[in-house]
Amino acid sequence: MTLDKIPVGEICGVTGMDLPRQVGRRLEALGLTLGTRVLVLGKKSGALILKVRGTRFPVGQGITQKIEVA
């Protein structure tokens, strides 16, 4: 399942990412790595508001569609 399909308020773990190298590195710098637990805080204008390791940030729909979670 991809991250964009997770309902608001749910927690999931990242199992894979099929992103361009530069985008993947930026997300890793923000703490979003394989195995990381992610809380979906909300959806706004197509973007998801995520809480990762105590930090909140928005991620666009084009990126969340390429992040596999369980």
Side-chain angles (χ1 to χ4, degrees), residues 15-53:
T15 59
M17 293 188 275
D18 184 25
L19 297 166
R21 187 177 184 142
Q22 200 170 11
V23 174
R25 285 191 177 192
R26 177 65 180 142
L27 290 176
E28 286 176 1
L30 292 170
L32 188 65
T33 58
L34 294 179
T36 302
R37 307 287 288 164
V38 177
L39 170 62
V40 179
L41 294 174
K43 294 184 180 184
K44 189 170 188 176
S45 303
L48 287 181
I49 310 301
L50 305 176
K51 185 172 184 180
V52 178
R53 299 181 186 207

